[in-house]
Amino acid sequence: MTTTTTTTHVTDLYPTRGATEVATPRQDPVVWGSPDTPGPVSTGDLQALERDGFLAVDQLIGPDEVGEYRRELERLTTDPAIRADERSIVEPQSKEIRSVFEVHKISEVFAKLVRDERVVGRARQILGSDVYVHQSRINVKPGFGASGFYWHSDFETWHAEDGLPNMRTISVSIVSIALTENYDTNGGLMIMPGSHKTFLGCAGATPKDNYKKSLQMQDAGTPSDEALTKMASEYGIRLFTGKAGSATWFDCNAMHGSGDNITPFPRSNVFIVFNSVENTAVEPFAAPVRRPEFIGARDFTPVR
Ligand SMILES: O=C(O)CCC(=O)C(=O)O
Ligand SMILES: [Fe+2]
């Protein structure tokens, strides 16, 4: 088999996965668009996003629309063909579905959500350009023991393993839309406000095929207890709760995670990661191979 190697000459602004943990000040803006470009996000909210690294939107989609997305989520997570697909990640113990990737490719309902101006319009405004989807997924947290997501910065992984050069990615980039109510007890998303201003390069090399393990439980790219203690003391931890249809936009470098869900109440969110078309992926900065395209896109077609 012949493989083509593309050499990239992109400076690594954010070193990670070396011998030691190393903090680098953020080299990029958080809000890339000009403050006076009109859009759905108010100037005050843009300033808050710049400062805190997140933005909560109370009702991104209306109660009447939520039902459609919830039904689609149920359809996807119960369809045996989807379960058998490599895009589905199951819980190591219970074997229940934990995540389904590329939902905007396998579901017209979620494709429509991505194109929705309330969603993509915000991403364009924040990133100051056209955007494409770097990753989309639903994260299902059924009751009675679904496991959490350990503390991480998404950008750390997207830089190390997917080759995103700059912090010009918004998770809603993750738009995280709560499809089922997120209480303060059922494993909601936690973010450290202000943590996005520092990049924490993690210690330890990336094993080949790391993604297979890391999607069930993160190992490489995990911050140390010391670093997390320092950050949590400095920034505090904010928990995001909300009714179905509410959303949390958060910067790609915000330190975040969530606990297990031992309550009987499910917590399912959909995440859409928008990246600027001016920040397309190059070769991984700190991994032997690229991750599969259903996790880190190589099709940079702008969302229209
Ligand atoms: O669903 C959650 O609680 C967090 C998920 C997350 O951080 C991720 O998918 O990168
Ligand atoms: Fe994350």
Side-chain angles (χ1 to χ4, degrees), residues 137 149 152-154 158 174 189 250 256 271:
R137 67 201 283 190
F149 290 81
H152 63 282
S153 145
D154 290 328
W158 300 336
I174 293 184
L189 183 69
F250 62 102
H256 65 284
F271 286 86

Side-chain angles (χ1 to χ4, degrees), residues 26-295:
R26 186 185 183 107
Q27 310 287 307
D28 294 302
V30 179
V31 175
W32 289 72
S34 120
D36 17 82
T37 313
V41 190
S42 72
T43 310
D45 278 353
L46 288 175
Q47 281 163 352
L49 175 65
E50 176 80 42
R51 183 190 63 229
D52 301 329
F54 61 79
L55 198 58
V57 178
D58 213 24
Q59 208 180 72
L60 189 74
I61 53 175
D64 46 327
E65 299 165 275
V66 169
E68 185 188 7
Y69 294 113
R70 189 181 295 160
R71 278 191 299 278
E72 182 66 355
L73 185 140
E74 262 156 34
R75 186 186 71 80
L76 292 170
T77 51
T78 50
D79 180 342
I82 303 277
R83 192 192 167 83
D85 195 289
E86 59 173 359
R87 294 180 179 91
S88 296
I89 312 296
V90 296
E91 291 279 350
Q93 248 106 57
S94 72
K95 306 291 176 214
E96 286 194 75
I97 287 194
R98 171 180 173 79
S99 302
V100 181
F101 280 88
E102 256 191 352
V103 286
H104 71 295
K105 288 261 175 85
I106 59 176
S107 152
E108 184 40 46
V109 172
F110 286 114
K112 189 181 71 180
L113 178 66
V114 165
R115 289 192 305 263
D116 191 313
E117 268 308 303
R118 293 169 294 181
V119 178
V120 70
R122 282 181 164 84
R124 282 195 204 104
Q125 189 188 1
I126 293 163
L127 300 179
S129 68
D130 265 327
V131 297
Y132 71 95
V133 177
H134 175 68
Q135 182 186 99
S136 77
R137 67 201 283 190
I138 48 180
N139 283 334
V140 187
K141 267 198 184 177
F144 305 115
S147 42
F149 290 81
Y150 197 69
W151 292 107
H152 63 282
S153 145
D154 290 328
F155 181 78
E156 196 279 334
T157 303
W158 300 336
H159 182 67
E161 301 190 33
D162 298 340
L164 296 195
N166 290 87
M167 293 182 184
R168 196 170 178 178
T169 317
I170 185 91
S171 295
V172 148
S173 171
I174 293 184
V175 161
S176 113
I177 293 170
L179 291 177
T180 56
E181 187 149 349
N182 285 204
Y183 306 101
D184 53 10
T185 49
N186 64 347
L189 183 69
M190 296 185 284
I191 301 181
M192 296 189 194
S195 58
H196 63 306
K197 295 284 178 78
T198 304
F199 176 76
L200 189 67
C202 299
T206 317
K208 199 163 175 272
D209 274 0
N210 178 48
Y211 78 93
K212 287 191 181 147
K213 205 168 137 265
S214 76
L215 296 178
Q216 291 184 325
M217 203 152 316
Q218 189 119 355
D219 188 9
T222 304
S224 69
D225 292 359
E226 292 72 26
L228 288 171
T229 306
K230 195 161 161 274
M231 291 173 91
S233 313
E234 187 179 345
Y235 303 123
I237 297 172
R238 168 111 190 239
L239 170 71
F240 291 83
T241 55
K243 289 226 160 35
S246 65
T248 307
W249 290 79
F250 62 102
D251 178 77
C252 58
N253 188 45
M255 187 60 72
H256 65 284
S258 64
D260 296 354
N261 182 13
I262 60 167
T263 76
F265 312 116
R267 192 234 67 178
S268 302
N269 290 359
V270 52
F271 286 86
I272 306 159
V273 181
F274 292 105
N275 187 33
S276 166
V277 294
E278 290 163 27
N279 187 42
T280 52
V282 295
E283 291 309 309
F285 284 88
V289 287
R290 296 173 176 190
R291 297 196 298 176
E293 292 193 30
F294 68 88
I295 302 178

